Amino acid sequence: MAPITTRKRFIRSRSRLNRESGPSVPIRSNETRDMTTDQATRQLPSKHIQNHFTYSWKIRSFNELVNFYPNTGFVLSDRFWSPRPPLTNDLSTKNKQNDHPYLWRIKLYPNGVNEAAKTHISLYLVAIPTPYEKQTNITSREKTFKLEVFRLTSDSTPVLIRNETFTMKFEFDGLDDFGRHRFCSFESLFPNNDVTAEIDLLIRVQILNTTSTSDLIDKPVENNEAEFPSFKRHLDDGKFSDVEFTFDCGARIKAHRIILATRSTYFEKLLGDKWKEGQMKTIPIKRMEYNTFRSILYFLYTGKLEDSLGFDILKDVYSKADMLNLERFGEMVADRIADMVNNDNWDEILMLAWEVGDSRLKEAALYYAVTKWDTIRDGENMKRVMCCGNMDWIEELMRARYSIS
């Protein structure tokens, strides 16, 4: 197999477990209500070409939400519509897709999506499938968007606290929301870090129109992607299989070239006619453990991450996700690892995060370290971090330690 390439930094989304675990309580704001798709107020697209669409969500007395909602509890904005980009720059041409704009909402966790984020707000944009998308079997939506958080002054002047731009593919049967677990801290929101202080927030999302072909045209698929998990029954099933992978431990696993090549550009190249493996019916895997490889195949066949994977396997899987060009898979694994931080592995996760530049893992491990400082300060894990030889890493740990204390 090809050598492992340089790992890249993933933009993290939350796992489905985290996204569905938080209780939803009606927000105490006269600007927010929960509506069905049919009840949502439709915002028709402009007659002119625009570079972006903006939706603003004003939250009065945000401090009350912080004191009222538990960690993992969330609130939802109104549903709102944004126009599809025109298929052509010719304004005289009728754009049929503009009759069917996109549907969204914002999800906010006032006290964070999980324990590691409880001193921050967690913020996400949620893609909601429209009747048009359901009827035409459109199962995903790729968009560039910007999330912004402002604190409002006494005269309602917005003061920008943080913004970030994402380019993401929303999957209606999978990862349908994207954002940040720790979008901005209470320290940056509240004067003197006093969460009882009265503040009003303005949350704004800009849906950006891009010029790529894939963004301009939503192509219906022949089969609804909701049927994709049915491929699970073909995993390691000799029926219809046309390739077999072997491992040093003696294990074997059968697979189907068309499934692997369709779901991964790496396997498309590996099983093509340019590499010798493309002509082989049995391919030996030399630099990957059987359990790691099988978990990758499980994702390719089902679009999901197995529930029973241990920490050591997840670490190995995470290191292979970039090599296989499986960014969404890497995001799932990183979320799972971040939720597993404990007294035994915080140092491994922290040094892995430093090595690959993963802010999601780093934030989770640093938060654990500084909140459990008295317990871990004299342990073997701390000694390993202090002996890593990278002063920048060590200094960052110490800054985090004293910034919270």
Side-chain angles (χ1 to χ4, degrees), residues 155-203:
D155 61 355
S156 296
T157 301
V159 177
L160 179 64
I161 303 299
R162 187 172 187 273
N163 61 45
E164 185 170 356
T165 300
F166 306 84
T167 298
M168 287 296 171
K169 184 176 183 180
F170 297 85
E171 304 279 354
F172 298 140
D173 191 46
L175 296 174
D176 58 2
D177 62 352
F178 286 97
R180 285 289 184 200
H181 286 55
R182 304 175 75 184
F183 192 85
C184 53
S185 66
F186 290 163
E187 184 178 6
S188 64
L189 289 171
F190 290 94
N192 302 318
N193 204 21
D194 178 10
V195 296
T196 65
E198 178 103 5
I199 64 169
D200 299 333
L201 294 187
L202 177 67
I203 297 176

Side-chain angles (χ1 to χ4, degrees), residues 73-336:
F74 60 83
V75 294
L76 297 166
S77 75
D78 280 344
R79 301 182 181 208
F80 59 92
W81 300 85
S82 70
R84 278 181 167 80
L87 297 176
T88 173
N89 289 335
D90 183 359
L91 297 179
S92 63
T93 301
K94 177 68 173 177
N95 181 6
K96 294 296 184 182
Q97 281 192 331
N98 264 353
D99 293 336
H100 307 283
Y102 297 117
L103 185 58
W104 312 89
R105 77 190 319 166
I106 301 171
K107 182 181 285 188
L108 167 68
Y109 291 75
N111 277 292
V113 68
N114 55 29
E115 179 70 16
K118 67 180 182 181
T119 58
H120 292 65
I121 65 170
S122 302
L123 188 64
Y124 309 91
L125 177 65
V126 184
I128 303 172
T130 65
Y132 169 74
E133 288 168 322
K134 293 176 182 177
Q135 292 166 6
T136 54
N137 288 335
I138 295 173
T139 58
S140 64
R141 186 189 302 166
E142 185 169 355
K143 294 298 294 180
T144 298
F145 63 95
K146 178 191 288 187
L147 290 173
E148 300 175 298
V149 173
F150 300 84
R151 184 174 62 243
L152 298 178
T153 64
S154 58
D155 61 355
S156 296
T157 301
V159 177
L160 179 64
I161 303 299
R162 187 172 187 273
N163 61 45
E164 185 170 356
T165 300
F166 306 84
T167 298
M168 287 296 171
K169 184 176 183 180
F170 297 85
E171 304 279 354
F172 298 140
D173 191 46
L175 296 174
D176 58 2
D177 62 352
F178 286 97
R180 285 289 184 200
H181 286 55
R182 304 175 75 184
F183 192 85
C184 53
S185 66
F186 290 163
E187 184 178 6
S188 64
L189 289 171
F190 290 94
N192 302 318
N193 204 21
D194 178 10
V195 296
T196 65
E198 178 103 5
I199 64 169
D200 299 333
L201 294 187
L202 177 67
I203 297 176
R204 179 182 296 163
V205 59
Q206 293 186 27
I207 312 295
L208 306 179
N209 288 345
T210 60
T211 57
S212 64
T213 303
S214 61
D215 188 53
L216 294 181
I217 303 176
D218 289 322
K219 296 181 179 179
V221 295
E222 292 184 7
N223 297 309
N224 194 316
E225 200 168 89
E227 299 175 359
F228 180 70
S230 66
F231 285 128
K232 179 180 178 180
R233 66 189 178 92
H234 296 296
L235 180 61
D236 202 18
D237 184 355
K239 189 177 182 180
F240 306 123
S241 66
D242 53 5
V243 64
E244 184 178 48
F245 299 96
T246 62
F247 303 84
D248 292 338
C249 64
R252 295 171 173 267
I253 187 167
K254 298 180 183 296
H256 306 78
R257 293 174 185 266
I258 185 62
I259 295 177
L260 302 185
T262 300
R263 305 301 294 178
S264 167
T265 56
Y266 177 86
F267 279 106
E268 183 180 13
K269 294 177 181 178
L270 177 71
L271 302 174
D273 55 6
K274 292 185 179 180
W275 290 7
K276 64 179 182 179
E277 286 85 354
Q279 311 303 320
M280 301 167 61
K281 292 188 177 296
T282 301
I283 301 176
I285 304 299
K286 295 296 185 182
R287 293 186 292 274
M288 195 180 302
E289 297 293 331
Y290 166 77
N291 288 331
T292 298
F293 191 84
R294 190 185 185 284
S295 68
I296 292 171
L297 292 195
Y298 184 91
F299 169 76
L300 295 177
Y301 275 71
T302 69
K304 300 178 181 179
L305 179 63
E306 289 183 281
D307 293 331
S308 59
L309 298 180
F311 176 66
D312 290 336
I313 294 177
L314 285 169
K315 282 195 307 177
D316 196 26
V317 170
Y318 177 78
S319 70
K320 303 299 191 299
D322 184 48
M323 178 189 77
L324 301 176
N325 295 323
L326 299 175
E327 183 168 335
R328 184 159 68 95
F329 185 46
E331 293 170 353
M332 292 179 178
V333 176
D335 278 324
R336 182 78 61 83

Side-chain angles (χ1 to χ4, degrees), residues 342-362:
N342 59 38
N343 194 60
D344 296 323
N345 62 28
W346 69 268
D347 60 316
E348 292 184 71
I349 296 176
L350 182 56
M351 288 193 284
L352 174 63
W354 277 329
E355 181 184 350
V356 302
D358 188 312
S359 60
R360 168 73 176 97
L361 293 180
K362 182 173 69 174

